[in-house]
C-alpha cells in the first residue's frame, strides 16, 4: 500500500516499464504502476474538490480506418474510404489509410501504451468490410479474428473493451448496389452485421456503440460532399439518408439484443450539436435546451423521443423522409446509455422573443480555434452537453465517447513533444466536465480522442489528435507531454 502511494505521488519522472515497449528513455511515462486511487483520508481539500465520481472510466478512443492499415490483408473487403481516399485531391497530400498506424500488426504495443497511462477502457471500432468481405452473407473469420486477438490482449491487461460497430467505413459494395445509406437495404445489412459481431464477442465485450457521429456520415457525406462517398444530394435524399441511419441504429439494437443472452450495455456515439447559453441566466439556459432539441431533431432527438419534431418536419415540407410509425418505435428503442462526442459549442444561444424561443449567435471572427479550423475553443460544451442531455431525455448514464484536439505537434531536437496546447485543452475541458459530475449529472466515463495520431479523414496525417506521437515513416510511437497529464488524472481520478 505504502509503496503504491509513493509511486503515484512522487515518481512520475521514473521510467518504469517503458523500455519494454521500446519507448525513448526521455519519456515521462511510468508503466505498469498499479492503479492507486488515494484513500479519502489522504486527499487534500483541493483534491477532494476536484475528485471525479468513484469508478469513473478513463479511456482512449480510435476508429478502424484511422489506425489499422492492412487494408488488403486477410480477406478484408473494400470500404468507401478506401475508394474515396484514392481519388486525387480529396484528402490533404493525397494521404490514405492504407498503412495508417499499422495497428493491425502493432496492437500489442498499443495496448501497452494504454496501460502506461492508466487508461482503464478502450473504445475501438470494428471494420465492417473486414468481418464481411461482401458486407453480408458469408462472414470472413480471419477478419473477426483480429478483434478477438485485440479484445483478449486488452482483457489480459485489465483494460475494458468498448466496441463501436460503425465508424464510417461502409462496405463499398453497399454503396455500389444500393447507394449506401440512401437505401433501407443498408440499414438491414447493418443489423445483420451488428448482430453477427455481437454474437461472437459478447462473451467478452459488454459495452457497445451502434454507430458513430450520424451527422458526419449522413449530411457531410451525402449532402455537403466533404466526407466519403462525397455526394451532394438534394435535401429530400439527405433527409432520407439520416432516417435510414437512425433506422440502422434501431434495427441494429434490436438484432443485437436478440442474439445474446448475457446482459449488454448498448448505446450510441453521437456528435450532438451542442447549444451553449453564452450568458448563463435561467432564460438563456431554457433557450439552449430548446435549441439543443431542435438542432438534433433528425438524429439524436428522434432516437431519444421516437418522433420528429414539428419544426423539423415543417421545415422539410415535401422533402421529409419516408417513414412509418413502426420504424419510429424501433429507432427509439431504449438505450442503456447515451454516448456523446463533444468537441465544441457548435452554437452559442440567447433567449429570444420569437417562435422558437432562442436565437443562435455566430462566433466572433477571432474566436480562438485549435489546429483544426472547425475546432472553436469552448470548454463549457463539456458541461452543457451532458447537462442538457440529462434535462431533455434523462438517460441512466452518459459517456463522453470522444473529446480531444488536433495540433501540429513537432518533435524537438531532443525528441520531445511538449504539447502545451493539448494539456491546456484537456485541463479546461475537464474542469467543465467535473462541474457536471459534481452536480450529479450521470457521466460514467470519458474517452480521449485519440490514443495516438492517426488518419484524420480529409485532413490526412497533417493534424495530430494523439496523446502519442506517430512517426509515419518508422511507425514509432512516442509519448507527448499530454499522456503524462492524462495518466495523472486517470490514476488518481482527480483533476490536477
Ligand atoms: C470526430 O469528429 C470523429 O469521430 C473522429 O473520427 C475524428 O478523428 C475526430 O472527431 C477529430 O476530428 O470539414 O471542416 O467542415 C468530430 C466532429 C465532424 C469535426 C466533421 C469535423 C468536419 C469539419 N467532426 N467536421 S469541416
Amino acid at each position: 500500500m505504502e509503496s503504491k502511494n509513493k509511486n503515484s505521488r512522487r515518481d512520475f519522472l521514473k521510467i518504469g516499464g517503458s523500455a519494454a515497449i521500446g519507448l525513448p528513455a526521455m519519456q515521462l511515462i511510468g508503466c505498469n504502476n498499479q492503479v492507486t486511487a488515494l484513500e479519502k483520508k489522504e486527499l487534500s481539500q483541493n483534491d477532494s474538490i476536484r475528485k471525479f465520481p468513484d469508478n469513473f472510466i478513463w479511456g482512449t478512443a480510435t476508429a478502424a480506418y484511422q489506425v489499422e492499415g492492412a487494408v488488403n490483408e486477410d480477406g478484408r473487403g473494400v470500404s468507401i474510404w478506401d475508394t474515396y481516399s484514392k481519388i486525387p485531391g480529396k484528402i490533404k497530400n493525397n494521404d490514405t489509410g492504407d498503412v495508417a498506424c499499422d495497428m493491425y500488426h502493432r496492437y500489442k504495443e498499443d495496448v501497452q501504451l494504454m496501460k502506461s497511462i492508466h487508461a482503464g477502457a478502450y473504445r475501438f471500432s470494428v471494420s465492417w468490410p473486414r468481418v464481411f468481405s461482401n458486407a453480408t452473407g458469408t462472414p470472413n473469420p480471419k477478419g473477426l479474428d483480429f478483434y478477438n486477438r485485440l479484445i483478449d490482449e486488452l482483457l489480459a491487461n485489465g483494460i475494458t473493451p468498448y466496441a463501436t460497430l460503425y465508424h464510417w467505413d461502409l462496405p463499398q459494395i453497399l454503396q455500389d448496389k444500393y447507394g449506401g445509406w440512401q437505401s433501407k437495404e443498408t440499414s438491414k445489412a447493418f443489423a445483420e452485421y451488428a448482430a453477427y459481431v455481437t454474437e461472437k464477442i459478447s462473451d467478452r465485450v459488454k459495452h457497445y456503440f451502434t454507430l458513430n457521429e450520424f451527422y458526419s456520415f449522413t449530411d457531410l457525406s451525402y449532402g455537403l460532399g466533404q466526407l466519403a462517398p462525397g455526394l451532394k444530394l438534394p435535401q429530400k435524399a439527405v433527409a432520407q439518408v439520416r432516417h435510414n441511419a437512425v433506422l440502422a441504429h434501431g434495427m441494429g439494437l434490436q438484432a443485437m439484443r436478440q442474439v445474446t443472452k448475457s446482459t449488454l450495455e448498448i448505446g450510441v456515439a453521437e456528435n450532438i450539436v451542442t447549444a451553449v447559453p453564452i450568458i448563463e441566466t435561467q432564460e438563456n439556459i431554457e433557450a439552449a435546451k430548446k435549441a439543443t432539441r431542435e438542432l438534433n431533431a433528425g438524429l439524436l432527438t428522434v432516437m431519444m423521443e421516437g418522433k420528429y419534431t414539428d419544426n423539423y418536419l415543417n421545415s422539410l415540407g415535401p422533402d421529409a423522409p419516408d417513414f412509418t410509425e413502426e420504424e419510429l418505435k424501433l429507432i427509439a428503442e431504449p438505450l442503456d446509455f447515451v454516448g456523446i462526442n463533444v468537441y465544441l459549442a457548435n452554437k452559442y444561444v440567447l433567449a429570444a422573443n420569437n417562435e422558437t424561443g432562442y436565437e443562435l449567435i455566430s462566433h466572433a471572427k477571432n474566436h480562438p480555434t485549435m489546429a483544426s479550423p472547425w475546432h472553436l475553443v469552448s470548454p463549457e460544451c463539456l458541461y452543457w452537453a451532458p447537462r442538457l442531455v440529462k434535462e431533455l431525455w434523462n438517460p441512466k448514464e452518459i459517456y463522453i465517447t470522444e473529446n480531444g484536439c488536433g495540433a501540429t505537434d513537432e518533435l524537438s531536437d531532443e525528441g520531445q513533444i511538449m504539447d502545451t496546447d493539448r494539456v491546456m485543452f484537456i485541463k479546461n475541458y475537464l474542469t467543465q466536465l467535473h462541474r457536471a459530475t459534481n452536480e450529479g449529472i450521470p457521466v460514467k466515463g470519458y474517452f480521449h480522442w485519440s490514443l495516438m495520431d492517426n488518419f484524420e479523414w480529409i485532413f490526412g496525417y497533417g493534424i495530430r489528435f494523439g496523446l502519442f506521437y506517430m512517426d509515419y515513416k518508422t511507425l514509432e510511437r512516442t509519448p507527448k507531454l499530454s499522456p503524462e497529464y492524462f495518466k495523472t488524472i486517470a490514476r488518481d481520478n482527480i483533476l490536477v
Side-chain angles (χ1 to χ4, degrees), residues 153-374:
E153 188 70 15
L154 288 164
L155 291 171
N157 284 280
I159 298 167
T160 307
Y162 281 67
T164 305
L165 294 171
Y166 184 75
H167 199 126
W168 309 356
D169 45 356
L170 187 75
Q172 180 66 41
I173 193 171
L174 294 178
Q175 194 64 43
D176 297 343
K177 247 178 151 170
Y178 305 118
W181 291 109
Q182 293 174 76
S183 164
K184 290 180 189 176
E185 290 303 320
T186 295
S187 323
K188 277 189 219 154
F190 171 77
E192 185 183 326
Y193 146 75
Y196 173 78
V197 174
T198 308
E199 195 187 350
K200 296 288 179 201
I201 64 176
S202 59
D203 55 332
R204 289 153 297 149
V205 179
K206 304 297 178 191
H207 298 85
Y208 296 83
F209 308 100
T210 53
L211 300 100
N212 178 74
E213 294 208 348
F214 291 72
Y215 180 77
S216 299
F217 78 85
T218 60
D219 284 69
L220 291 178
S221 303
Y222 288 81
L224 297 169
Q226 287 174 8
L227 304 176
L231 302 179
K232 290 185 182 168
L233 302 177
Q235 175 166 261
K236 168 125 184 126
V238 179
Q240 193 63 50
V241 161
R242 269 183 228 132
H243 180 74
N244 297 342
V246 290
L247 182 61
H249 160 80
M251 293 173 102
L253 205 60
Q254 191 185 53
M256 290 163 75
R257 284 182 175 148
Q258 271 164 10
V259 292
T260 164
K261 298 205 171 47
S262 64
T263 326
L264 303 182
E265 290 199 22
I266 310 176
V268 69
E270 170 59 332
N271 55 325
I272 182 174
V273 180
T274 305
V276 165
I278 183 76
I279 300 169
E280 298 184 4
T281 62
Q282 200 46 47
E283 54 168 0
N284 290 339
I285 293 169
E286 276 311 306
K289 196 159 143 184
K290 286 181 192 146
T292 297
R293 182 164 178 267
E294 288 301 343
L295 291 167
N296 293 283
L299 300 168
L300 191 56
T301 304
V302 71
M303 289 189 264
M304 302 312 294
E305 299 184 12
K307 67 192 266 290
Y308 288 115
T309 66
D310 294 342
N311 268 336
Y312 180 72
L313 291 179
N314 291 339
S315 68
L316 284 170
D319 290 341
D322 299 326
F323 64 89
T324 65
E325 281 307 310
E326 212 182 307
E327 286 173 355
L328 289 181
K329 246 183 107 187
L330 202 56
I331 289 167
E333 282 252 330
L335 299 177
D336 299 297
F337 59 80
V338 173
I340 44 178
N341 295 355
V342 184
Y343 287 88
L344 71 151
N346 302 80
K347 301 285 176 195
Y348 283 117
V349 172
L350 286 174
N353 214 350
N354 61 21
E355 255 169 55
T356 60
Y358 59 83
E359 184 191 343
L360 305 176
I361 313 291
S362 305
H363 292 87
K365 190 163 154 253
N366 288 324
H367 192 105
T369 62
M370 303 305 292
S372 311
W374 52 268

Side-chain angles (χ1 to χ4, degrees), residues 1 5 38-44:
M1 190 65 217
N5 282 346
L38 295 173
E39 288 176 11
K40 243 197 167 126
K41 59 178 164 34
E42 293 179 73
L43 297 179
S44 71

Side-chain angles (χ1 to χ4, degrees), residues 397-437:
E397 290 177 353
I398 298 170
Y399 282 94
I400 304 302
T401 32
E402 281 180 32
N403 172 252
C405 68
T408 41
D409 290 332
E410 283 161 4
L411 269 174
S412 72
D413 292 345
E414 295 77 40
Q416 292 181 317
I417 306 106
M418 289 298 175
D419 54 344
T420 56
D421 44 359
R422 185 170 288 102
V423 173
M424 175 282 292
F425 178 94
I426 298 174
K427 195 181 299 175
N428 283 282
Y429 275 65
L430 286 185
T431 297
Q432 294 289 328
L433 182 63
H434 181 264
R435 183 181 166 205
T437 57

